[in-house]
Amino acid sequence: MNQRTVTTSGKQALNAIYLLIGINILVYTYRNDFLPQLNINRTYRILDGNLQSMLLSIFYHVDPTHLTMNMLCIYQTGFELYVNSSSKRWRSFSMPIISYLICGFGSFYGVELLSKFHTYQMELKMQKARVSNQCTHWMCKSINNALGRDVVSSYITNVWSDWTTTFPVKLSMWHFRLFRRIGASAAVYGWVGMRLFTSWYSPYHSKMHGLDVVLWMGILAHELSKCPLSLQDLQVSTFLEEGNVDHTAHFFGAIIGMLWAALVLLWDKVGGVFWRWRGESGGRRLGERWEDEYLAQERLMEQDQERRQLSRLLYDGERTVI
């Protein structure tokens, strides 16, 4: 299928892409006119995020360059992923919108999951520090025996261990949870993940060019290298690296996009087997034959529409002659 050939059903997906682009542009244009509804303080952050803040964040931009790049990626990737697909499900109006929301929300939930993993790592590090700094001197034991409880090890050494070991970690964790995550980049990376997966496994999509695959895999590898998966990486990203790029949301957006594409393709296969098992003719058949039949049906509908227009012109011509 030609890259810029849009079928009748493909126009539905194209309209959905235009709608998403339009919402992003409207939010950017009127973000200062509709305060406090579009206030940046209502966007998402881990500290006090919710679904409403997530929804605003995936449409919110403050930099025109950031907005322009994201909208170009949405159009280009969305055209190849939805409009050029040979599947009616992928060319539907709802598929781009649902995928946009799932990839955007999923990336934020991935960021929250990583934050909880940071907390788990910090607790383990704190416990190890408390055990290693525990006072074993005879004087500490004497004080503990005199008071009837472990005062020195439980309070003094624990406070010292927490302060010297976890203070920079807690500071970096606080920064990771506090800054606001805005922009459609997470959803864009989700669509890129979907495009990569469908290029490898989907019978409804064309294969990506080898150079494009290498380029995007390199970009995703870079995003993974910048993700603060460990506490040491978190401290480096907080205190040493400059810039405000949310590499974590980018990476998790791509992962969620791949999982979502796999789920949709799996549903098509499972649904086809289910309908064939029940013996119902309304089931969806997979593969080239089903798609060829659907495209042939679409061409017949277009030919019928052309015949009707031609008949109307002939009728108008005869009435004019009379």
Side-chain angles (χ1 to χ4, degrees):
M1 188 182 296
N2 194 313
Q3 185 179 3
R4 290 296 178 252
T5 300
V6 182
T7 60
T8 302
S9 59
K11 292 180 180 179
Q12 299 179 6
L14 187 60
N15 291 334
I17 294 173
Y18 287 152
L19 176 62
L20 292 173
I21 294 175
I23 294 175
N24 277 276
I25 294 176
L26 287 176
V27 172
Y28 171 76
T29 305
Y30 297 104
R31 69 187 187 281
N32 295 324
D33 298 331
F34 289 91
L35 298 176
Q37 289 79 10
L38 298 182
N39 195 318
I40 192 173
N41 292 327
R42 290 179 173 265
T43 55
Y44 172 77
R45 62 179 180 179
I46 300 177
L47 192 63
D48 53 1
N50 51 41
L51 289 177
Q52 184 178 358
S53 63
M54 291 181 183
L55 181 62
L56 180 59
S57 288
I58 59 178
F59 292 102
Y60 200 97
H61 298 82
V62 295
D63 183 10
T65 304
H66 188 203
L67 174 67
T68 303
M69 294 299 297
N70 281 341
M71 296 306 101
L72 290 176
C73 289
I74 285 178
Y75 177 79
Q76 179 65 28
T77 308
F79 205 100
E80 297 177 358
L81 190 59
Y82 306 110
V83 181
N84 274 351
S85 174
S86 61
S87 171
K88 183 180 178 181
R89 182 192 301 275
W90 289 83
R91 293 198 305 266
S92 64
F93 181 83
S94 59
M95 187 63 182
I97 298 177
I98 294 175
S99 300
Y100 187 91
L101 296 177
I102 287 178
C103 293
F105 288 176
S107 67
F108 292 145
Y109 283 117
V111 170
E112 290 188 0
L113 183 63
L114 181 59
S115 178
K116 293 180 180 179
F117 182 63
H118 290 158
T119 303
Y120 171 75
Q121 288 180 304
M122 187 195 67
E123 291 176 353
L124 289 180
K125 186 174 182 179
M126 187 183 300
Q127 292 176 2
K128 292 180 180 179
R130 288 178 176 180
V131 172
S132 62
N133 294 328
Q134 197 170 28
C135 182
T136 58
H137 196 270
W138 65 268
M139 186 175 294
C140 296
K141 294 181 180 180
S142 301
I143 296 175
N144 292 336
N145 293 332
L147 297 176
R149 55 181 179 173
D150 189 3
V151 176
V152 179
S153 298
S154 298
Y155 293 97
I156 301 177
T157 58
N158 288 352
V159 169
W160 173 255
S161 299
D162 295 348
W163 174 261
T164 58
T165 305
T166 62
F167 176 73
V169 176
K170 289 182 179 179
L171 187 61
S172 58
M173 290 176 59
W174 176 77
H175 174 267
F176 186 77
R177 296 175 179 177
L178 187 64
F179 78 87
R180 300 191 178 274
R181 307 170 189 273
I182 59 175
S185 301
V188 169
Y189 272 84
W191 283 17
V192 170
M194 295 176 65
R195 183 68 185 101
L196 288 170
F197 191 90
T198 55
S199 175
W200 295 329
Y201 299 106
S202 173
Y204 311 128
H205 298 81
S206 61
K207 300 295 182 182
M208 292 180 65
H209 193 275
L211 184 60
D212 293 336
V213 174
V214 172
L215 176 63
W216 278 114
M217 291 301 295
I219 292 175
L220 293 181
H222 172 73
E223 298 294 339
L224 176 60
S225 66
K226 293 294 184 180
C227 284
L229 300 180
S230 65
L231 295 180
Q232 184 178 0
D233 296 336
L234 182 62
Q235 295 178 67
V236 170
S237 64
T238 302
F239 299 111
L240 300 181
E241 294 183 356
E242 297 181 356
N244 54 357
V245 179
D246 191 0
H247 300 284
T248 307
H250 292 175
F251 178 74
F252 278 107
I255 296 298
I256 295 298
M258 291 182 181
L259 294 176
W260 171 239
L263 182 63
V264 174
L265 295 175
L266 181 62
W267 172 255
D268 281 342
K269 291 185 178 181
V270 173
V273 172
F274 174 75
W275 290 116
R276 286 197 298 271
W277 173 71
R278 293 192 58 181
E280 298 185 9
S281 59
R284 169 164 298 190
R285 290 173 291 178
L286 300 177
E288 294 297 331
R289 183 184 174 190
W290 184 92
E291 297 301 337
D292 291 342
E293 290 180 357
Y294 181 80
L295 293 176
Q297 182 181 4
E298 220 177 39
R299 285 194 295 269
L300 289 176
M301 294 176 60
E302 292 176 355
Q303 292 174 1
D304 182 63
Q305 187 176 3
E306 291 177 358
R307 283 196 298 267
R308 291 183 180 181
Q309 293 178 353
L310 181 60
S311 300
R312 191 177 297 112
L313 291 175
L314 292 175
Y315 175 75
D316 294 339
E318 292 176 357
R319 188 171 57 180
T320 302
V321 172
I322 293 174

